[in-house]
Every structure is written in C-alpha cells, then in structure tokens.
Amino acid sequence: MASIPRSVTNLAKSERLEVSARIGRDGVSEALIKEISDQLSRNPLIKIKANKGIATNGEHRREIFSEIARTTESILVFQRGNVAVLWVGK
C-alpha cells in the first residue's frame, strides 16, 4: 500500500472536497464503477457517498467502499459514516 501524504489526508477530511459520486438504490453497478474510474483519471482524489439504506451497518459500508477501491485500483483514504474518499497515488 502506498504511503498517503498528509496533504491528501487533510484534503480528504476537509469539507472543501465535494461529493462527486453517489451509490444509489441500484448499489454498486458497472456504470458506477466506470464513473468513479473516469473521475479518478481526471482527479486523483474524489469523495463518494452511499445513500441511506444502501448499507445495513458500518462494517457493510466499509466492505462496499473497500470493494470500490479495489475495483478502481485506488486507495481508500478516509471513511466516516456513509462518505468515503478515494485516491490514486501519483
């Protein structure tokens, strides 16, 4: 796993970084993975949000976000509740 620079971690926790993708009622679909991958190719740090009711508990949310990170070849930098930040270290 790549070392995450402090500046990336600070921005990930900042409210300045806006949500750019949402996990909706369809869950994690191929279209969502493609959208997140496309966003990561343009911007190395993105924030995603799971709509309420998508995950049953915190562990389930962690599993969802970790799977998205693995599928998009990114790093899960930060997760709090139903919000996560992904980064492609460059």
Side-chain angles (χ1 to χ4, degrees):
M1 183 172 159
S3 177
I4 301 169
R6 181 173 297 247
S7 61
V8 170
T9 304
N10 289 344
L11 184 55
K13 294 178 180 180
S14 167
E15 291 185 17
R16 291 183 303 156
L17 185 63
E18 295 186 17
V19 173
S20 62
R22 285 189 175 266
I23 304 170
R25 67 173 181 250
D26 295 334
V28 180
S29 64
E30 286 185 36
L32 177 66
I33 294 297
K34 182 175 181 339
E35 175 61 28
I36 291 171
S37 293
D38 289 348
Q39 287 187 28
L40 286 166
S41 70
R42 293 188 306 271
N43 186 354
L45 192 70
I46 66 164
K47 186 182 282 188
I48 59 176
K49 184 173 187 174
N51 287 349
K52 292 189 187 305
I54 295 300
T56 55
N57 57 41
E59 182 61 32
H60 188 214
R61 282 191 297 270
R62 276 188 291 280
E63 290 172 10
I64 291 170
F65 292 135
S66 293
E67 177 63 27
I68 292 171
R70 188 170 55 254
T71 305
T72 60
E73 298 179 352
S74 60
I75 297 169
L76 180 59
V77 175
F78 175 75
Q79 185 219 331
R80 181 180 296 146
N82 61 341
V83 175
V85 177
L86 301 176
W87 175 62
V88 285
K90 294 183 180 179

